[in-house]
């Protein structure tokens, strides 16, 4: 009996030691009994404690409501569990966020929370784990950028949330699956908050969101492994993270020189018509026609399957484009020939009304396929947009605009060839089907700027 007692004592001691080690450096933000350390602001949704969870309950006629920590946090790892029972109960967890008592809250009152938000989205869109910028820039990382994580969240069950905010890096996980990866410099610290979203219909009142096991680590932080091959939304211009470099990404524009670029049909970079200044590569305004000033520029390397990302900013009424699979064999008098991601001011440029069914509008495959986009995802003249073109080894092509997929097609398919046969490109044999080609930035006579041009070869 004495030997058994000693064994039990040893086992208990070992268990306590393991538990202490597993909790080392972690602080609970919720004691399981009270809302000590938290305060409610901006709205009138209810927060109460049920069992071991904080429960947020929707109410009618209220703006977004937040239960915020009384402390602010800078670098940290946050973990918690969350359960949502209804597909309409959109919610989120604020990170490094702030409160402005003078900001309009959208419901006729004053006071609004703004800052990074870990999205909780139980709808068919499935963007849980994406990163939103509440009451400011909106979407930084729609989870459409990482479709492999879109099914990680489970409705009606507790889900494990993990967020790392370390320096300029924010990474998220959903149930252990890598989700969003963002590099940003806007907020270094702020409060954490649990959101109950405003509801559009009175009958949606009474819906609940549950949070439990909320804990934070602010020292001895050890970043968790992040899955390979996930797109990084990097808001520091012309910079690659070590993660991206190890994943095969490279910059096509270094932010300072024209290295890697030449004029189309030329052996050197144009002596006029283009400018490199303040980290941007800009085509200068001339007379609004194709390639009559500096002319198009192309990469010195050719690419087949690839993931291409680029930031662009256009002036009012501007027209330009990013072309791919450019072969330079056609010797066209105007712009060089290739598949084109259209850059256009849809509001002011007349080309938006030409072509067929809007296939010359922003982010469209020019003269072939219209981009299906929402106005809220378009940053208007003067604002930076992020374009992305993905071409897989089996010739499936996707266009993105500011993180949202806007079109996809299969290069060389019967459907693709039918579209070409109805377009201005029908005069070019096997248009858009070259096994490889150059990347091109177009001179269409309007002022347009580029930066953060990066590419990854796909195998």
């Amino acid at each position: 009996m004495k030997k058994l007692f000693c064994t039990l004592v040893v086992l208990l001691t070992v268990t306590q030691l393991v538990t202490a080690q597993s909790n080392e450096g972690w602080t609970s933000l919720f004691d399981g009994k009270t809302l000590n350390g938290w305060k409610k602001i901006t709205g009138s949704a209810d927060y109460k404690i049920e069992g071991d969870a904080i429960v947020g309950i929707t109410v009618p006629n209220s703006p977004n409501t937040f239960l915020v920590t009384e402390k602010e946090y800078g670098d940290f790892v946050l973990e918690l569990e969350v359960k949502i029972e209804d597909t309409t109960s959109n919610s989120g967890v604020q990170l490094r966020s702030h409160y402005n008592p003078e900001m309009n809250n959208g419901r006729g009152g004053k006071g609004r929370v703004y800052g990074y938000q870990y999205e909780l989205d139980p709808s068919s869109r499935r963007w849980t784990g994406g990163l939103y910028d509440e009451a400011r820039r909106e979407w930084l990382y729609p989870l459409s950028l990482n479709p492999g994580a879109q099914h990680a969240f489970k409705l009606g069950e507790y889900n494990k949330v993990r967020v790392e905010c370390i320096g300029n890096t924010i990474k998220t996980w959903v149930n252990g699956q890598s989700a969003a990866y963002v590099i940003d410099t806007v907020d270094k610290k702020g409060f954490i908050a649990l959101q109950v979203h405003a509801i559009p219909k009175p009958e949606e009142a009474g819906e609940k969101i549950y949070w439990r096991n909320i804990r934070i680590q602010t020292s001895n932080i050890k970043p968790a492994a992040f899955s390979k091959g996930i797109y990084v939304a990097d808001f520091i211009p012309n910079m690659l993270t070590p993660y991206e470099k190890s994943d095969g990404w490279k910059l096509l524009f270094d932010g300072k020189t024209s290295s890697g670029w030449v004029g189309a049909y030329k052996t050197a970079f144009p002596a006029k018509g283009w400018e490199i200044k303040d980290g941007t590569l800009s085509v200068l305004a001339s007379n609004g026609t194709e390639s009559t000033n500096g002319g198009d520029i192309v990469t010195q390397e050719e690419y087949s399957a690839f993931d291409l990302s680029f930031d662009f900013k256009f002036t009012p009424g501007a027209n330009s484009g990013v072309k791919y699979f450019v072969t330079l064999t056609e010797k066209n008098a105007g712009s060089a020939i290739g598949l084109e991601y259209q850059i256009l001011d849809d509001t002011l440029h007349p080309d938006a009304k030409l072509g067929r069914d809007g296939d010359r509008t922003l982010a469209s495959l020019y003269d072939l396929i219209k981009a299906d986009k929402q106005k809220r995802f378009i940053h208007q003249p003067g604002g930076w947009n992020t374009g992305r073109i993905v071409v897989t080894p089996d010739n499936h092509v996707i266009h993105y605009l500011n993180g949202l997929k806007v079109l996809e097609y299969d290069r060389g398919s019967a459907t693709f060839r039918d579209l070409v046969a109805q377009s201005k490109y029908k005069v070019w044999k096997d248009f858009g089907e070259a096994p490889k080609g150059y990347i091109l930035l177009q001179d269409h006579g309007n002022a347009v700027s580029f930066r953060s041009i990066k590419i990854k070869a796909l195998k």
Side-chain angles (χ1 to χ4, degrees):
M1 180 64 73
K2 183 177 180 180
K3 184 177 180 180
L4 179 60
F5 175 76
C6 291
T7 301
L8 289 173
V9 169
V10 170
L11 288 174
L12 180 60
T13 302
V14 170
T15 301
Q16 290 173 333
L17 179 60
V18 171
T19 300
Q21 289 175 339
S22 66
N23 290 323
E24 184 180 357
W26 290 94
T27 300
S28 292
L29 294 182
F30 171 48
D31 62 16
K33 299 177 182 179
T34 71
L35 295 181
N36 291 343
W38 299 82
K39 59 183 178 181
K40 185 175 77 172
I41 58 175
T42 71
S44 57
D46 192 20
Y47 292 86
K48 62 181 183 179
I49 298 170
E50 291 185 5
D52 60 352
I54 297 174
V55 182
I57 306 170
T58 57
V59 296
N61 305 315
S62 172
N64 293 345
T65 309
F66 298 88
L67 189 67
V68 309
T69 57
E70 293 177 347
K71 292 183 179 180
E72 291 192 339
Y73 299 91
D75 285 4
F76 60 84
V77 178
L78 176 70
E79 291 187 346
L80 57 95
E81 293 176 89
V82 63
K83 180 172 69 172
I84 299 177
E85 297 178 324
D86 193 282
T87 57
T88 62
S89 299
N90 181 284
S91 181
V93 178
Q94 295 296 132
L95 315 162
R96 290 180 175 176
S97 293
H98 312 277
Y99 172 65
N100 184 342
E102 299 302 317
M103 188 183 292
N104 190 305
N105 63 25
R107 296 273 175 157
K110 292 289 184 68
R112 194 162 186 183
V113 166
Y114 64 95
Y116 303 126
Q117 181 187 111
Y118 178 109
E119 176 75 1
L120 294 169
D121 178 14
S123 74
S124 59
R125 187 177 64 176
R126 294 183 176 273
W127 282 4
T128 293
L131 198 70
Y132 186 74
D133 195 2
E134 176 78 11
R136 198 163 49 186
R137 294 171 292 173
E138 297 195 356
W139 283 102
L140 303 179
Y141 201 104
L143 211 65
S144 51
L145 287 172
N146 183 8
Q150 287 188 263
H151 294 277
F153 180 82
K154 306 299 181 185
L155 186 68
E157 302 176 17
Y158 271 105
N159 296 265
K160 184 70 174 290
V161 168
R162 179 182 171 93
V163 183
E164 290 179 1
C165 293
I166 305 172
N168 295 325
T169 300
I170 302 175
K171 292 185 284 189
T172 72
W173 286 259
V174 184
N175 289 324
Q177 190 162 344
S178 302
Y181 197 140
V182 173
I183 308 296
D184 194 50
T185 62
V186 173
D187 291 310
K188 297 296 185 182
K189 67 175 184 178
F191 57 67
I192 292 165
L194 310 178
Q195 183 200 54
V196 174
H197 203 282
I199 55 174
K201 303 175 183 178
E203 55 266 31
E204 294 176 5
E207 294 175 355
K208 296 181 177 181
I209 303 99
Y210 301 78
W211 298 273
R212 71 181 186 186
N213 296 330
I214 309 169
R215 65 178 191 167
I216 195 166
Q217 188 178 50
T218 58
S219 60
N220 301 316
I221 297 173
K222 296 180 181 179
F226 204 78
S227 299
K228 296 289 186 181
I230 295 175
Y231 179 82
V232 176
D234 191 341
F235 293 91
I236 301 178
N238 309 315
M239 189 273 280
L240 290 178
T241 64
Y243 171 89
E244 290 173 288
K245 291 177 182 178
S246 68
D247 203 33
W249 288 90
K250 70 174 186 177
L251 289 175
L252 290 182
F253 171 55
D254 62 15
K256 300 176 182 178
T257 71
S258 62
S259 176
W261 296 87
V262 296
Y265 308 122
K266 300 174 184 177
T267 57
F269 193 81
K272 65 173 186 175
W274 289 84
E275 178 182 64
I276 297 173
K277 183 180 179 181
D278 299 329
T280 65
L281 173 61
S282 301
V283 58
L284 303 179
S286 53
N287 59 4
T289 56
E290 287 185 14
S291 301
T292 57
N293 191 20
D296 301 341
I297 60 173
V298 296
T299 55
Q300 290 181 307
E301 290 187 40
E302 293 181 276
Y303 299 92
S304 50
F306 58 83
D307 191 341
L308 173 69
S309 179
F310 51 95
D311 291 350
F312 63 92
K313 179 173 64 174
F314 53 88
T315 50
N319 184 349
S320 182
V322 175
K323 297 187 181 183
Y324 50 107
F325 290 102
V326 174
T327 60
L328 299 179
T329 58
E330 297 86 359
K331 301 298 180 181
N332 188 46
S335 182
I337 300 302
L339 297 163
E340 181 178 350
Y341 181 110
Q342 172 77 314
I343 294 175
L344 194 79
D345 180 350
D346 290 348
T347 303
L348 297 178
H349 198 284
D351 220 20
K353 296 180 176 61
L354 301 178
R356 297 188 325 277
D357 304 320
D359 62 5
R360 296 188 181 185
T361 56
L362 177 64
S364 294
L365 178 63
Y366 178 76
D367 212 46
L368 294 170
I369 304 173
K370 177 186 177 181
D372 181 13
K373 57 188 183 290
Q374 303 172 33
K375 189 172 183 179
R376 64 176 293 198
F377 282 88
I378 302 171
H379 301 158
Q380 297 300 322
W384 285 101
N385 293 268
T386 298
R388 185 180 174 204
I389 304 165
V390 180
V391 182
T392 62
D394 63 355
N395 283 316
H396 187 68
V397 185
I398 305 173
H399 284 195
Y400 292 84
L401 176 64
N402 295 321
L404 196 70
K405 182 192 296 186
V406 294
L407 66 82
E408 56 187 322
Y409 66 99
D410 293 301
R411 213 166 58 99
S413 66
T415 301
F416 173 79
R417 290 173 179 172
D418 286 344
L419 290 170
V420 172
Q422 302 173 61
S423 76
K424 63 186 288 185
Y425 297 117
K426 61 186 177 183
V427 299
W428 304 108
K429 179 176 171 54
D430 300 325
F431 170 77
E433 296 187 44
K436 63 180 180 178
Y438 302 97
I439 307 296
L440 176 150
L441 305 183
Q442 187 184 48
D443 169 16
H444 208 293
N446 303 129
V448 177
S449 296
F450 301 90
R451 70 182 187 189
S452 298
I453 310 170
K454 60 184 181 181
I455 196 166
K456 172 185 174 180
L458 301 180
K459 300 178 182 179

